[in-house]
Amino acid sequence: ELSEVEKTYDGAAEEEIQTNNTAQSSEVAEKPDSHRLVSAMKRPSPLVIKNCKLVSLQWHFHSGPTMCAHEAPRETIFGVPTLMENLCGMKFLLSPPSFFQVNTPTSERMLDRVADVAQLKANTTLLDLCCGTGVIGICLSKYVKKIVGIEMVVSAIDNAKVNAAT
């Protein structure tokens, strides 16, 4: 059975994407024909799922038995190669392998609570482990003297540097 995304392609996905759907994941067995997918997305009814509009479609191939490397080469088939998200009144640049908490209203409430519980003060140095794109540290920066972010995904580190500078 086709997923909601595939149904929206109005038949193009049926011909171009072969998937193995499980409760946990959806694997693309072969690279889709990018011209047909982009053409399908430009039809009068754009790809919209539950009020979300597709802004980027990317492809990378991995055939190994373990998780794909974070820095696996990716090809942007449609849209932009990186995303911008808003949280706590700030904009954050995100690359595909980077983590971002998509439930922003809950994230904002959680960060306010963390600031209260941790009793952050103007002389505090905040250690942000697995900092990703720097979201937590940057959002809490108004409460502390210094933030030290630790991350291993190179593209997330690059995003964090840009995010911290803006």
Side-chain angles (χ1 to χ4, degrees):
E1 180 172 333
L2 294 174
S3 69
E4 289 302 311
V5 172
E6 293 166 324
K7 288 176 187 172
T8 309
Y9 281 118
D10 205 13
E14 290 179 48
E15 297 171 27
E16 301 299 336
I17 300 178
Q18 316 298 306
T19 60
N20 174 16
N21 291 317
T22 66
Q24 297 293 319
S25 67
S26 178
E27 300 172 11
V28 176
E30 62 184 67
K31 183 177 177 180
D33 180 310
S34 60
H35 296 294
R36 284 187 52 84
L37 290 177
V38 171
S39 174
M41 285 185 273
K42 290 181 178 178
R43 289 187 187 143
S45 51
L47 177 58
V48 177
I49 302 170
K50 296 182 182 174
N51 299 321
C52 296
K53 182 177 180 184
L54 179 67
V55 294
S56 183
L57 178 62
Q58 301 187 13
W59 166 262
H60 74 269
F61 179 76
H62 175 67
S63 61
T66 60
M67 187 171 99
C68 183
H70 291 294
E71 301 305 322
R74 295 168 194 276
E75 177 185 343
T76 301
I77 295 172
F78 174 81
V80 295
T82 56
L83 303 176
M84 289 295 276
E85 284 290 341
N86 297 308
L87 184 70
C88 298
M90 295 176 261
K91 291 183 185 248
F92 292 92
L93 178 68
L94 310 168
S95 59
S98 303
F99 173 80
F100 185 80
Q101 178 53 260
V102 296
N103 187 338
T104 53
T106 299
S107 294
E108 290 173 343
R109 288 192 301 274
M110 178 211 51
L111 290 168
D112 288 340
R113 184 75 177 125
V114 165
D116 290 340
V117 170
Q119 299 176 357
L120 300 176
K121 299 192 178 359
N123 65 347
T124 299
T125 296
L126 177 66
L127 184 59
D128 188 356
L129 302 175
C130 303
C131 69
T133 58
V135 171
I136 293 173
I138 293 168
C139 288
L140 295 176
S141 66
K142 60 186 173 189
Y143 302 107
V144 299
K145 178 180 180 180
K146 182 179 179 180
I147 302 161
V148 177
I150 308 292
E151 178 57 59
M152 63 184 235
V153 178
V154 176
S155 58
I157 294 168
D158 293 341
N159 292 161
K161 288 177 181 177
V162 170
N163 294 334
T166 56

